[in-house]
Amino acid sequence: MDSISGLALGFGNALTLANLAWALLGCFLGTAVGVLPGIGPALTIALLLPITFSVSATGAFILFCGVFYGAMYGGSTTSILLNTPGESGSIITALEGAKMARNGRAGPALATSAIGSFVAGTVGTLGIAFLGPVIVEWALVLGPAEYFALMVLCFVTVSAVLGSSALRGLTSLAFGLMLGLVGVDLQTGQPRLTFGVPELLDGVNVVLVAVALFAVGEALYMAWRHHAGKQEVLEVGRLMLSREDLKRSFWPWIRGAGLGFPFGVLPAGGTEMPTMLSYYAERKLAKPEYVKEFGTVGAIEGVAGPEAANNAAAAGILVPMLTLGLPTSATAAIMLSAFQSYGINPGPLLFTQQAELVWTLIASLFIANVMLVVLNLPLVGLWVRILKIPVPQLYAGILVFATIGTYGISNSVIDLVILYTLGVVAMFMRRFDFPVAPVVIGMILGPMAEQALRQALTISQGDWSVFITRPGSAIIMALAVLALAGPRLYGAIARKV
């Protein structure tokens, strides 16, 4: 069955009243889940797994995919309004989105996020239907050396572009890498940096670190700088995109979607790497008159591109799960277990043996995308009302919800100690102009880079030249060196000229 006839079959089934209701419920739950830090789509789908005993496979997977897509939409809301990422893929969105909100442009930031998510979700779903098997074959060619090189490229580009200097960015990255080492070494089984605390054997929760660095650190820093007197209320400003905003957002949406989908397909891709690279690309490609907005008042390109990359990557994650039976994220792994509970084994034969289910699922993703943009755009005016709360009360509320949410994840007092310890560290990082985003980047990608490095050296029998003798790895490493040294060389040449 070709893609066109498959989609025709899928839409015929997905547009029934029952399946539309499942899609709407999934979108609503997913959006709510994305707004709440620490819960995420994986936990939500895990909690919904018991419905597989009483609901048809088609209805259940439409619900699960609605939750998955909705969480990608909703994660940007608190990132923009409260500088508190709901999902790891929304961390980069907070960099410019929170600054836009602080400068009276929360509405355009939320609007470009919602429309960008729609554009990227549509591109990603088209990729599932038409390009999935082709991209999977390409992804399987990459080995551990190429994955390690990709992560080095992410480390360098993001650390070099964030903050006032590359040295400060790399220092923050090193702190994040150290946090990523906490826990049990997967190779030797030995605990690392746990200091005898049993709760640290599983490592430090990424969402906890993101909330500590962005939300708690920001709240403590604002309290430190706050002066008594008139209660400050952040300006709401315009709610929708102006023509200029739309023009500035269009190509970042396209570039972000094109960058995010292939990374989502990669077994070690996820949503973090493409959002980081998208931010780097938009900062480098921005027109000279807009470059000064990055890191100051907030550049809309820095929200549009990463948010599109986030949602396109989320769609890409479904490709290896459906075509190869390989889950590349926690959410995909839980969905795979749901397939197995129905006696269905995802893999190369899924598109022939379960054609009706697969194409109905893909068609429902298009429908969910439309539902989400219809749900989210009208809510922009409601969400921005959060900014009408006076700053002291607003940040006090953030601290309360961060504390409750963190304790609710694991019921651990140790997590609360880590939350406020890292929050104080983040406060001083802001005071001395050290960027906090590389900390989270290092923590997320550090363990993955370590595994890829060890695997590459094991395969090459300890030969470090494997990273420059393999063409793909050599090209990516060269790009990393260029990203780090290029600006310095250019500056030196410009001074001599």
Side-chain angles (χ1 to χ4, degrees), residues 31 68-77 80 89-90 93 108-126 241 249-250 252-254 256-258 275 300 303-316 365-377:
T31 302
F68 187 37
Y69 267 30
M72 297 302 109
Y73 270 71
S76 63
T77 302
I80 292 168
S90 300
T93 304
L110 289 170
T112 195
S113 171
I115 299 172
S117 297
F118 170 75
V119 172
T122 302
V123 170
T125 309
L126 286 171
L241 295 173
S249 298
F250 179 77
W253 290 335
I254 302 301
T275 55
I300 198 166
V303 177
E307 196 58 27
N310 178 26
N311 284 268
L365 292 175
F366 285 105
I367 295 169
N369 232 9
V370 175
M371 286 181 174
L372 282 165
V373 78
V374 170
L375 277 174
N376 279 271
L377 277 180

Side-chain angles (χ1 to χ4, degrees), residues 107 110 236 239-240 376-386:
L110 289 170
V236 170
L239 292 182
M240 284 293 121
N376 279 271
L377 277 180
L379 289 175
V380 167
L382 175 64
W383 291 126
V384 297
R385 289 182 180 275
I386 293 173

Side-chain angles (χ1 to χ4, degrees), residues 348-403:
L349 299 178
L350 184 66
F351 277 75
T352 54
Q353 293 178 347
Q354 298 286 339
E356 185 174 340
L357 169 63
V358 171
W359 289 110
T360 303
L361 182 60
I362 292 173
S364 72
L365 292 175
F366 285 105
I367 295 169
N369 232 9
V370 175
M371 286 181 174
L372 282 165
V373 78
V374 170
L375 277 174
N376 279 271
L377 277 180
L379 289 175
V380 167
L382 175 64
W383 291 126
V384 297
R385 289 182 180 275
I386 293 173
L387 298 178
K388 289 185 175 291
I389 302 171
V391 169
Q393 287 92 319
L394 177 63
Y395 283 102
I398 290 172
L399 288 177
V400 170
F401 283 110
T403 303

Side-chain angles (χ1 to χ4, degrees), residues 88 147-158 173 176-177 179-181 206 263 268-277 437-453:
S88 59
Y147 281 119
F148 178 74
L150 274 174
M151 291 169 200
V152 169
L153 178 62
C154 278
F155 291 151
V156 169
T157 52
V158 176
L173 175 69
L177 291 172
L179 289 175
L181 292 175
V206 175
F263 270 93
T271 59
E272 294 84 11
M273 276 198 287
T275 55
M276 298 166 199
L277 292 177
V439 178
V440 185
I441 292 163
M443 185 184 172
I444 292 171
L445 298 185
M448 297 165 63
E450 180 191 15
Q451 285 296 101
L453 174 64

Side-chain angles (χ1 to χ4, degrees), residues 108-383:
L110 289 170
T112 195
S113 171
I115 299 172
S117 297
F118 170 75
V119 172
T122 302
V123 170
T125 309
L126 286 171
I128 296 173
F130 294 97
L131 301 177
V134 178
I135 293 180
V136 166
E137 288 180 13
W138 170 74
L140 291 176
V141 174
L142 300 181
E146 285 79 12
Y147 281 119
F148 178 74
L150 274 174
M151 291 169 200
V152 169
L153 178 62
C154 278
F155 291 151
V156 169
T157 52
V158 176
S159 299
V161 81
L162 295 176
S164 57
S165 72
L167 181 60
R168 282 186 168 91
L170 292 172
T171 303
S172 296
L173 175 69
F175 179 51
L177 291 172
M178 184 188 73
L179 289 175
L181 292 175
V182 175
V184 175
D185 182 355
L186 295 179
Q187 295 279 10
T188 64
Q190 297 298 312
R192 300 186 298 192
L193 302 177
T194 58
F195 306 103
V197 180
E199 286 85 353
L200 293 179
L201 290 174
D202 289 332
V204 184
N205 188 294
V206 175
V207 175
L208 184 155
V209 173
V211 171
L213 294 177
F214 286 89
V216 177
E218 179 77 8
L220 294 178
Y221 181 62
M222 293 298 291
W224 185 8
R225 295 182 57 202
H226 181 70
H227 299 285
K230 185 179 178 181
Q231 298 294 299
E232 181 186 358
V233 178
L234 295 177
E235 187 66 35
V236 170
R238 184 189 183 99
L239 292 182
M240 284 293 121
L241 295 173
S242 65
R243 183 175 296 179
E244 179 67 17
D245 290 331
L246 193 61
K247 184 180 176 182
R248 291 176 60 182
S249 298
F250 179 77
W251 285 112
W253 290 335
I254 302 301
R255 285 191 290 264
L259 186 63
F261 182 73
F263 270 93
V265 174
L266 295 176
T271 59
E272 294 84 11
M273 276 198 287
T275 55
M276 298 166 199
L277 292 177
S278 173
Y279 180 80
Y280 177 78
E282 296 309 325
R283 190 158 179 166
K284 290 297 181 185
L285 294 172
K287 292 182 178 180
E289 60 267 31
Y290 300 138
V291 171
K292 62 180 181 294
E293 294 182 8
F294 282 88
T296 54
V297 298
I300 198 166
E301 295 90 343
V303 177
E307 196 58 27
N310 178 26
N311 284 268
I317 286 170
L318 297 176
V319 174
M321 186 195 72
L322 294 174
T323 58
L324 296 175
L326 294 176
T328 59
S329 72
T331 307
I334 293 169
M335 290 179 68
L336 182 64
S337 69
F339 271 106
Q340 292 170 345
S341 70
Y342 283 107
I344 301 170
N345 293 313
L349 299 178
L350 184 66
F351 277 75
T352 54
Q353 293 178 347
Q354 298 286 339
E356 185 174 340
L357 169 63
V358 171
W359 289 110
T360 303
L361 182 60
I362 292 173
S364 72
L365 292 175
F366 285 105
I367 295 169
N369 232 9
V370 175
M371 286 181 174
L372 282 165
V373 78
V374 170
L375 277 174
N376 279 271
L377 277 180
L379 289 175
V380 167
L382 175 64
W383 291 126

